[in-house]
């Protein structure tokens, strides 16, 4: 085991302390530093620090194991720390909730066995960050469009209106299903168009699952930092062309949550 | 229809740390530590919030049908708001814009409520349990 260059963070604890562990935000190159203003899930009490091993490091903070995790503050702290880091250095973000027992375990079980894979993945992320483009159909607009295009939807609407509510449940479900189908078809077409339009400015794209029934698109792209202005222009073009029918939001720069590696898959998801 | 885009056709650039966006991202994406570590993993209690909304469900269908019905009532109303819109063009465009924003904000609020709700009911599910 080559631990000669390993450096324990100042928050390292004795191993017999079962009340605390280490929360892991993500992995970064070893030659970075944590700025004093960085806050994690432990707030002021448990500062964010690095556990280094050779050329990589885990971005961590100590955590009280007796307190449950997952408050809105915790979630936002995790995301903010990773996004702010990713704006400066390559980061492999962990999914929320990664906790290990102590600093030795992080070195022995995470950083040592996967050192080369992580280092290579970090190299691939150099100078790249993630952006997410979200589109949503305004309710009145999209429903009106569906009614205008689908005679069956208009027929069901009239039927529902003419009858008492307690006998229209089936008709309402059918109407809703029709609307859902129409929106799904729009979503597929609009998502495909968006991905195509962003392709020249992105290294890779990942289509996310919709998180709302009126989602028009939910797409993550990995972008070279110097193409960022081009990407923003392309997103604005898309928004302009769809003005009135899709509300578009651009989120980022983010840590590359959608473009991390999985073990045994070698190069990573963006190839 | 006179629904105006909130942002005039330019993509909004809000803070990426809004709770709704955060939930979607960090509970569902990123590296899964279980895939790498077995022995020294700590299963801490997580107050989980299910980020995914099942899009194709009976609830969704009924909600859509309800929304179609609301839309219809508003249109056939021909009441005071419509007359006022005809009278003051500028004001009506502004009013519509407000409605769209209101809908989006309401959705955000709903998610915040959901967060608070789940917070009071801690579940012992670990991250892995959420994946399927």
């Amino acid at each position: 085991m080559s631990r000669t260059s390993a450096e324990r963070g100042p928050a390292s604890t004795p191993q017999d302390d079962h009340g605390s562990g280490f929360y892991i935000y993500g992995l970064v190159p070893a030659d970075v530093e944590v700025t004093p203003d960085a806050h994690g899930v432990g707030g002021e009490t448990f500062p964010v620090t690095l556990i280094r091993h050779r050329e990589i490091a885990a971005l961590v903070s100590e955590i009280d194991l007796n307190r449950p995790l997952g408050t809105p503050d915790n979630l936002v702290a995790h995301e903010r720390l990773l996004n702010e880091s990713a704006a400066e250095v390559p980061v492999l973000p962990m999914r929320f909730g990664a906790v290990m027992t102590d600093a030795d375990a992080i070195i022995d079980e995470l950083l040592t066995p996967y050192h080369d894979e992580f280092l290579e993945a970090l190299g691939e992320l150099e100078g790249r960050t993630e952006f997410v483009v979200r589109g949503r159909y305004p309710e009145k607009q999209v429903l009106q469009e569906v009614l205008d295009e689908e005679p069956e939807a208009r027929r069901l609407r009239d039927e529902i209106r003419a009858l008492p509510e307690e006998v229209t449940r089936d008709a309402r479900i059918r109407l809703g299903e029709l609307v859902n189908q129409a929106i799904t078809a729009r979503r597929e077409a609009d998502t495909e168009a968006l991905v195509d339009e962003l392709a020249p400015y992105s290294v890779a794209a990942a289509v996310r699952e919709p998180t709302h029934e009126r989602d028009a698109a939910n797409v993550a792209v990995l972008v070279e930092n110097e193409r960022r202005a081009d990407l923003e222009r392309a997103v604005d073009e898309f928004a302009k062309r769809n003005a009135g029918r899709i509300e578009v939001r651009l989120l980022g720069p983010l840590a590359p949550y959608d473009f991390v590696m999985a073990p045994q898959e070698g190069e990573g998801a963006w190839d | 229809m006179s629904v105006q885009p909130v942002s005039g056709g330019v993509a909004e650039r809000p803070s990426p740390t809004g709770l709704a966006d955060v939930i979607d991202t960090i509970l569902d994406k990123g590296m899964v530590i279980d895939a790498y570590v077995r022995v020294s993993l700590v299963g801490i209690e997580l107050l989980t919030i299910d980020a995914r909304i099942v899009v194709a469900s009976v609830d969704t269908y009924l909600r859509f049908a309800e929304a179609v019905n609301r839309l219809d009532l508003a249109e056939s109303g021909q009441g005071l708001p419509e007359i006022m819109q005809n009278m003051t063009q500028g004001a009506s465009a502004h009013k519509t814009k407000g409605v769209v924003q209101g809908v989006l904000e309401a959705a955000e609020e709903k998610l915040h409520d959901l967060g608070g709700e789940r917070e009071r009911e801690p579940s012992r599910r670990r991250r892995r349990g959420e994946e399927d």
Side-chain angles (χ1 to χ4, degrees):
Chain A
M1 225 171 303
S2 57
R3 279 216 215 128
T4 43
S5 63
E7 201 181 290
R8 300 296 144 76
S12 179
T13 48
Q15 285 196 322
D16 54 15
D17 182 358
H18 296 299
S20 69
F22 277 85
Y23 185 93
I24 307 170
Y25 302 90
L27 304 172
V28 292
D31 61 352
V32 307
E33 283 179 2
V34 177
T35 53
D37 59 324
H39 287 299
V41 296
E44 306 267 344
T45 320
F46 299 112
V48 176
T49 182
L50 290 166
I51 294 174
R52 294 186 171 93
H53 172 68
R54 294 172 57 200
E55 292 180 65
I56 60 171
L59 190 63
V60 304
S61 63
E62 216 180 327
I63 186 173
D64 178 355
L65 296 181
N66 299 310
R67 289 185 57 186
L69 264 181
T71 63
D73 279 355
N74 292 156
L75 298 168
V76 170
H78 175 106
E79 162 121 355
R80 184 171 292 158
L81 178 65
L82 285 171
N83 290 348
E84 286 172 2
S85 304
E88 307 290 332
V89 299
V91 178
L92 287 168
M94 286 282 176
R95 194 171 295 188
F96 183 85
V99 181
M100 288 182 68
T101 49
D102 53 50
D104 284 344
I106 292 173
I107 291 172
D108 295 345
E109 287 182 50
L110 184 65
L111 301 184
T112 302
Y114 302 101
H115 178 274
D116 294 353
E117 281 177 51
F118 290 151
L119 186 64
E120 192 185 337
L122 287 168
E124 297 267 2
L125 292 170
E126 186 75 52
R128 297 169 170 179
T129 47
E130 174 172 323
F131 286 82
V132 168
V133 186
R134 293 232 167 127
R136 189 165 292 177
Y137 302 113
E139 185 176 76
K140 286 172 75 172
Q141 180 83 3
V142 74
L143 294 179
Q144 192 59 55
E145 276 179 28
V146 173
L147 281 179
D148 292 347
E149 288 169 19
E150 306 267 351
E152 176 67 2
R154 289 198 298 276
R155 192 192 66 74
L156 285 164
R157 175 203 59 187
D158 294 342
E159 180 186 324
I160 291 161
R161 201 165 48 180
L163 295 168
E165 193 182 338
E166 54 271 26
V167 299
T168 60
R169 185 179 158 88
D170 287 350
R172 281 183 283 132
I173 289 172
R174 282 214 307 286
L175 174 58
E177 200 174 356
L178 264 182
V179 169
N180 192 59
Q181 278 167 8
I183 290 179
T184 302
R186 279 170 168 71
R187 177 186 302 133
E188 280 167 12
D190 287 323
T191 298
E192 198 183 320
L194 178 64
V195 170
D196 284 352
E197 282 175 45
L198 301 186
Y201 316 107
S202 50
V203 181
V207 174
R208 290 183 171 189
E209 288 296 306
T211 56
H212 189 280
E213 56 218 23
R214 280 185 285 106
D215 269 6
N218 193 5
V219 174
V221 286
L222 189 66
V223 180
E224 300 274 357
N225 291 344
E226 61 255 38
R227 304 306 299 273
R228 186 175 158 177
D230 295 329
L231 177 89
E232 292 187 9
R233 244 193 314 278
V235 172
D236 279 342
E237 285 290 313
F238 180 84
K240 217 168 283 173
R241 210 178 42 263
N242 290 288
R245 61 177 292 271
I246 304 179
E247 307 291 355
V248 182
R249 297 161 69 217
L250 176 63
L251 306 178
L254 311 173
Y257 304 94
D258 294 75
F259 304 100
V260 292
M261 55 193 285
Q264 276 99 48
E265 280 182 12
E267 292 293 301
W270 51 81
D271 280 328
Chain B
M1 288 291 287
S2 59
V3 175
Q4 301 292 313
V6 171
S7 49
V10 174
E12 274 186 272
R13 289 175 179 78
S15 155
T17 50
L19 189 61
D21 298 317
V22 169
I23 289 168
D24 180 30
T25 297
I26 69 175
L27 293 182
D28 217 28
K29 312 287 177 189
M31 285 204 307
V32 182
I33 197 164
D34 313 32
Y36 296 94
V37 175
R38 306 252 179 252
V39 182
S40 302
L41 201 61
V42 177
I44 195 164
E45 182 179 344
L46 282 191
L47 308 165
T48 55
I49 300 162
D50 200 346
R52 260 160 300 190
I53 291 172
V54 182
V55 169
S57 70
V58 168
D59 281 351
T60 308
Y61 300 158
L62 290 173
R63 207 156 46 237
F64 274 137
E66 171 69 19
V68 168
N69 196 39
R70 273 204 311 272
L71 183 76
D72 203 36
L73 288 174
E75 292 224 321
S76 58
Q78 295 288 345
L80 194 58
E82 186 107 347
I83 295 163
M84 281 172 63
Q85 262 182 18
N86 293 338
M87 279 161 55
T88 54
Q89 278 285 352
S92 81
H94 186 247
K95 185 169 173 284
T96 314
K97 187 169 158 181
V99 169
V100 177
Q101 272 171 336
V103 170
L104 292 175
E105 280 158 16
E108 285 275 306
E109 270 167 35
K110 205 173 150 192
L111 240 161
H112 279 272
D113 291 349
L114 185 68
E117 187 76 21
R118 289 304 193 92
E119 215 181 310
R120 286 191 295 275
E121 296 170 22
S123 91
R124 288 221 165 239
R125 286 158 68 204
R126 293 213 32 246
R127 206 172 356 84
R128 186 179 260 177
E130 281 194 347
E131 281 178 352
D132 314 287

